[in-house]
Amino acid sequence: MIDVLLYVLGILIIVIGLAVSIGLHEIGHLIPAKLFGVKVTQYMVGFGKTIWSRTKGETEYGVKMLPLGGYIAMTGMYPPQKPGEAPRASTTGFLNSAVEEGPLRSRPTHYDSDAHTVEGPASEAQISEDEPRRGIAGLVDDARLASADTITVGEEHRTFYRLPAWKRIIIMLGGPAMNLVLAFVFFAIVLVGFGMPQSSTTLGQVSECLQPAGSTKTTCEAGDPAAPAAAAGLLPGDTVVSVNSTPIADWEQFRELVSASPGTTLQVGIVRDGSEQVRSLTPVANERAVVDAQGTVVTDASGRTVTERVGMVGATPASEMVPQPITAVPAYVGENVERVAGVIIRLPQRMVDTWNAAFGAEERDPNGPMSVVGVGRLAGEIVSLDEAPVAARAQTVIGLLGSLNVALFVFNLLPLMPLDGGHVLGALYESVKRGIAKLRGKPDPGPIDTAKMVPITFAVVVVLGAMTVLLVYADLVKPVTFFG
């Protein structure tokens, strides 16, 4: 029963952490929007039915039933099609109002990590006038008709599209920037607060005998020569402090000295139960698999493991948690950003692999994409893992939250509508277009017509929806697991 409760607790931590991350993502949009004078009518966390809301000033703040999305509603994200028309209200979400208001009152415009919509009443005359238009033109027209919060007289200057390009870019980058800050916070807790596992100078395991590289034997047999560490009387828990009177600072130093000394007797100083002793240790020549800088075993052209002849003693170090300096956090975040970017670049193949695993006999790639369901399930397994220390479980879950925010940061920067990166790209294009017109002495071309990007938005939303369904299904029928 306790294991079940801990499993549920792990899932709840991820769900709440994701909801908070999305909420802060939207605050990253909200704060600069208000600072730049844009009228924001709604700030919502979640999508579906509203379970709580409160209006403060001109903005309604609320929480919806499913905490897997969020949006803010800004007036005038779409410019008018013709001079003199009213600009359209829009949001940074695409599912919320579409579910609640219906197809003519909700159209996708912008995607943060969850869902984004445009909503608003359209007059019968407008609908009737545009009724014959279908296909792509119809989608664009419908988007223009979706005007949930039409701007009151005298507030036209508070529309999003009227802002200079650099201000719109700041608003759209505010959400991903907030996720990046959260990633720094979570990973700082992991690295500085808990530390990272490193090999210590304390012996963790001492083998009875040595097995050559490529051996399939898993146990020592009679007649096998004793490993040098065991022959020297070394025991697990001994701490190596010197070799031939040279102080040992870390395990790598000890390992290099041993590797370079096959057949040479070394005087190894150890600390056991608080007292220092000296043991004579003679490494034996043995074959060892060659590994690269990433720790991957190197193979030759025929696929055979490449080995090297080195001195070995048959002992491995114990691992210890070593707190890292705060300066190590940026590089760690950068490595995670690079890893997520690599997954996204190879996403088509990754999705094919996920399909084959979900509907075939292949195993899921533990480094491949997962849905929120998969991440929550993994967190449940971690929290309910009895054999792991509480600190280790907490560290892993916090690391998962950091990884989620890195994923939100990278994904939202993709230069596709309706993602934040798509809107940034549109603002940059408009700025360049206006700059070229100014240099050529031509009239200002005005804001770009972002409503024309609605078909692309619709297509991206469909693709993202299909990928989400596939990942959720795969996480249910063949989840990624690290614990057997």
Side-chain angles (χ1 to χ4, degrees):
M1 181 63 180
I2 294 178
D3 288 345
V4 174
L5 292 176
L6 288 174
Y7 188 90
V8 173
L9 175 62
I11 295 175
L12 287 176
I13 290 173
I14 291 299
V15 171
I16 294 172
L18 179 61
V20 170
S21 298
I22 291 173
L24 291 175
H25 177 108
E26 296 304 333
I27 286 178
H29 292 308
L30 176 72
I31 292 176
K34 283 183 171 289
L35 288 176
F36 292 147
V38 178
K39 184 175 181 179
V40 181
T41 58
Q42 280 189 315
Y43 167 90
M44 290 289 172
V45 175
F47 64 88
K49 184 178 180 181
T50 301
I51 57 177
W52 174 87
S53 71
R54 178 175 297 175
T55 300
K56 184 176 181 180
E58 62 187 13
T59 307
E60 178 190 10
Y61 300 86
V63 177
K64 291 180 177 287
M65 184 172 293
L66 299 178
L68 301 178
Y71 68 94
I72 66 170
M74 296 183 289
T75 59
M77 231 173 154
Y78 284 162
Q81 183 180 17
K82 300 175 183 178
E85 287 185 346
R88 308 303 181 188
S90 185
T91 77
T92 59
F94 68 72
L95 287 179
N96 310 283
S97 305
V99 173
E100 297 168 6
E101 303 294 343
L104 274 178
R105 298 189 61 185
S106 303
R107 288 296 180 269
T109 62
H110 169 68
Y111 182 92
D112 272 339
S113 57
D114 38 273
H116 301 252
T117 60
V118 177
E119 55 181 292
S123 69
E124 293 182 5
Q126 288 173 312
I127 297 173
S128 176
E129 176 183 342
D130 291 322
E131 187 67 30
R133 296 169 66 87
R134 291 293 182 267
I136 293 178
L139 283 174
V140 174
D141 287 342
D142 284 349
R144 296 189 188 286
L145 293 175
S147 176
D149 297 306
T150 52
I151 300 168
T152 56
V153 176
E155 291 192 333
E156 294 82 1
H157 63 287
R158 301 188 62 193
T159 54
F160 176 80
Y161 83 94
R162 286 180 180 267
L163 291 176
W166 66 271
K167 289 187 177 182
R168 279 178 283 151
I169 290 173
I170 290 176
I171 291 175
M172 300 317 299
L173 289 182
M178 187 66 77
N179 291 127
L180 184 61
V181 169
L182 287 172
F184 268 89
V185 171
F186 286 127
F187 286 139
I189 295 173
V190 169
L191 269 64
V192 181
F194 291 95
M196 296 298 289
Q198 292 183 2
S199 296
S200 68
T201 55
T202 299
L203 303 183
Q205 184 177 359
V206 176
S207 303
E208 296 179 13
C209 62
L210 287 180
Q211 303 291 350
S215 174
T216 58
K217 293 199 303 184
T218 58
T219 59
C220 294
E221 299 176 356
D224 287 340
L234 297 181
L235 299 174
D238 291 344
T239 300
V240 178
V241 294
S242 66
V243 173
N244 294 339
S245 300
T246 300
I248 297 299
D250 53 47
W251 181 262
E252 188 60 29
Q253 180 187 2
F254 177 67
R255 178 177 176 273
E256 289 177 357
L257 287 172
V258 168
S259 297
S261 307
T264 302
T265 300
L266 306 173
Q267 299 302 313
V268 178
I270 63 169
V271 173
R272 179 185 296 173
D273 298 329
S275 63
E276 188 167 343
Q277 306 176 17
V278 176
R279 299 280 175 163
S280 296
L281 179 67
T282 305
V284 298
N286 201 354
E287 296 294 324
R288 180 178 66 188
V290 176
V291 296
D292 59 21
Q294 287 71 42
T296 304
V297 175
V298 177
T299 58
D300 59 21
S302 61
R304 290 178 299 183
T305 300
V306 177
T307 62
E308 59 183 347
R309 194 169 181 81
V310 296
M312 298 186 73
V313 297
T316 56
S319 180
E320 62 181 356
M321 300 300 293
V322 179
Q324 304 297 303
I326 192 67
T327 53
V329 178
Y332 192 79
V333 173
E335 291 172 3
N336 275 266
V337 169
E338 184 179 356
R339 189 178 304 116
V340 172
V343 171
I344 292 177
I345 290 173
R346 296 185 295 273
L347 194 57
Q349 181 58 49
R350 296 277 191 169
M351 296 308 298
V352 171
D353 295 340
T354 301
W355 175 280
N356 293 335
F359 297 97
E362 298 182 16
E363 294 297 322
R364 289 283 299 279
D365 181 359
N367 296 316
M370 283 189 291
S371 70
V372 175
V373 172
V375 175
R377 190 168 182 168
L378 184 60
E381 290 184 11
I382 293 169
V383 174
S384 60
L385 202 62
D386 291 335
E387 55 267 31
V390 173
R393 286 182 273 176
Q395 180 191 30
T396 305
V397 172
I398 293 172
L400 280 177
L401 291 174
S403 297
L404 273 174
N405 276 278
V406 168
L408 291 174
F409 167 73
V410 175
F411 190 71
N412 276 290
L413 289 182
L414 291 178
L416 293 172
M417 297 289 281
L419 303 172
D420 293 331
H423 286 274
V424 171
L425 182 62
L428 290 173
Y429 171 71
E430 177 184 313
S431 181
V432 171
K433 185 179 178 181
R434 284 178 154 174
I436 292 175
K438 185 177 181 180
L439 289 174
R440 298 176 64 182
K442 293 188 175 183
D444 186 345
I448 62 171
D449 189 359
T450 50
K452 292 182 179 179
M453 303 301 292
V454 167
I456 295 177
T457 298
F458 182 77
V460 171
V461 170
V462 170
V463 171
L464 291 176
M467 290 193 300
T468 299
V469 171
L470 174 59
L471 288 174
V472 169
Y473 177 78
D475 287 334
L476 290 174
V477 301
K478 191 173 287 186
V480 174
T481 179
F482 297 97
F483 310 105

